[in-house]
Amino acid sequence: MNSHDWQEWLDEQQLTVEKRLSEQGPLVFTYSKYVKQQAFLKPELLRHLIESQSLTTKFTSTGPANLWQQPVLSATEADFMRQLRRFRTYHMLWIYWRDLSGNAELEETCSHITWLADYCLDLTHHWAEKATRQQLKIADAQLLPLIIIAMGKYGSEELNVSSDIDLIFCYSNDQLIPDGLRSLEIYYTRLGQLIIRLLDQRTADGFVFRVDMRLRPNGDSGALVTSEAALESYYLEQGRDWERFALIKARFVTGTKRQVDHLQ
């Protein structure tokens, strides 16, 4: 048991914890190098989880500690990426601790990781949407959201701590093209590329989620984003059996109700 490192961390923080956490700490520090490393690098994250009693409470999607230090949409790109990765670290410490200490059932762990992925993806979509419109000088255009479809384990809410997220990007083609933009595909492709980079790029603060786009129509050789009409046509006319079966696990992460209803 790694009781020495755990006690050293407690002494540095001048913290006294309840018996349950005192017994779980050495166990978690022994089983997870990640938790121990992040606890010393960013002690305020673990400290908040302890003080908010989150480590001894079952995770729910509406819990009061969920959005502590959430990223700010008005931040610069560098700051947003830093905040997003810090937010992810906070939740991964939470997930690892409850899992390794035996406090969380598998269902809770999968639910927490899926909630984290959904929240980070939705927030990143909003930040990237604003940035892409400003970059292309169409900030005032009334363009519909990029439709992001979760696939595989992510779609069925079965992510584990090492999972990547399988995505398909789609856009509504029945909307006007804003002045100054040659095509909707240019805008949505740029938006999709930015979302992937914000989440997937490894920095000094780590990454958020690895993004896998290979389940999109035509895989790696296909367009990064697909219009609604092209997506429907592909699965009806060209999609292989396993691609159609994969849609059983598909789940919409972003998109308006009208967009989702049209594709379902």
Side-chain angles (χ1 to χ4, degrees):
M1 290 291 183
N2 210 328
S3 57
H4 174 74
D5 288 335
W6 169 240
Q7 189 59 52
E8 179 185 345
W9 186 84
L10 286 175
D11 291 343
E12 286 184 4
Q13 299 305 305
Q14 298 181 339
L15 266 180
T16 301
V17 298
E18 61 176 280
K19 183 179 179 182
R20 272 189 300 174
L21 292 179
S22 181
E23 294 173 347
Q24 293 167 6
L27 180 73
V28 175
F29 272 36
T30 297
Y31 287 160
S32 176
K33 181 180 178 181
Y34 173 82
V35 172
K36 184 176 73 172
Q37 181 185 54
Q38 294 301 321
F40 281 102
L41 285 173
K42 304 179 182 73
E44 69 281 2
L45 301 185
L46 183 56
R47 185 184 185 102
H48 184 271
L49 288 169
I50 291 172
E51 293 178 339
S52 64
Q53 300 183 328
S54 299
L55 299 179
T56 53
T57 305
K58 183 177 180 179
F59 173 82
T60 64
S61 60
T62 57
N66 293 10
L67 302 183
W68 185 67
Q69 292 202 348
Q70 62 179 311
V72 178
L73 288 175
S74 59
T76 64
E77 180 175 315
D79 284 343
F80 181 77
M81 291 180 72
R82 189 179 305 111
Q83 292 169 10
L84 200 61
R85 282 150 181 75
R86 178 182 175 84
F87 185 74
R88 186 252 190 194
T89 299
Y90 169 69
H91 278 275
M92 292 307 292
L93 287 173
W94 190 349
I95 291 165
Y96 269 112
W97 188 290
R98 286 192 54 77
D99 181 40
L100 293 173
S101 64
N103 287 336
E105 299 291 337
L106 179 62
E107 181 182 359
E108 179 189 336
T109 301
C110 292
S111 173
H112 195 159
I113 298 172
T114 301
W115 177 90
L116 177 62
D118 282 355
Y119 187 83
C120 289
L121 185 54
D122 184 59
L123 198 67
T124 300
H125 170 259
H126 283 297
W127 191 95
E129 189 176 52
K130 180 180 178 182
T132 304
R133 291 182 182 189
Q134 290 176 341
Q135 187 180 45
L136 295 176
K137 295 181 172 53
I138 52 171
D140 297 326
Q142 295 300 308
L143 288 168
L144 291 170
L146 176 69
I147 304 165
I148 303 179
I149 306 171
M151 301 291 290
K153 286 185 177 181
Y154 182 28
S156 57
E157 302 183 46
E158 297 172 316
L159 293 178
N160 59 55
V161 293
S162 61
S163 296
D164 54 15
I165 54 175
D166 293 294
L167 304 176
I168 291 176
F169 292 156
C170 177
Y171 66 92
S172 301
N173 47 298
D174 59 343
Q175 52 183 322
L176 296 175
I177 300 176
D179 292 338
L181 186 67
R182 283 182 292 168
S183 71
L184 292 172
E185 186 177 6
I186 291 174
Y187 166 73
Y188 287 107
T189 298
R190 190 80 60 89
L191 174 57
Q193 290 170 337
L194 181 55
I195 289 171
I196 293 172
R197 182 166 62 79
L198 291 171
L199 292 172
D200 193 285
Q201 183 173 302
R202 186 178 290 274
T203 70
D205 300 295
F207 63 96
V208 185
F209 282 97
R210 293 184 301 274
V211 178
D212 191 335
M213 300 295 299
R214 290 176 295 177
L215 291 181
R216 69 186 188 271
N218 294 307
D220 284 337
S221 62
L224 182 67
V225 297
T226 310
S227 70
E228 288 181 5
L231 189 71
E232 291 181 47
S233 174
Y234 177 83
Y235 284 111
L236 285 172
E237 301 173 11
Q238 302 177 49
R240 290 161 288 185
D241 288 342
W242 70 264
E243 290 179 295
R244 296 190 181 98
F245 287 136
L247 291 175
I248 295 172
K249 292 186 175 183
R251 181 172 60 85
F252 292 92
V253 182
T254 66
T256 66
K257 184 178 185 303
R258 187 187 70 80
Q259 287 177 305
V260 172
D261 288 345
H262 179 75
L263 283 172
Q264 281 183 326

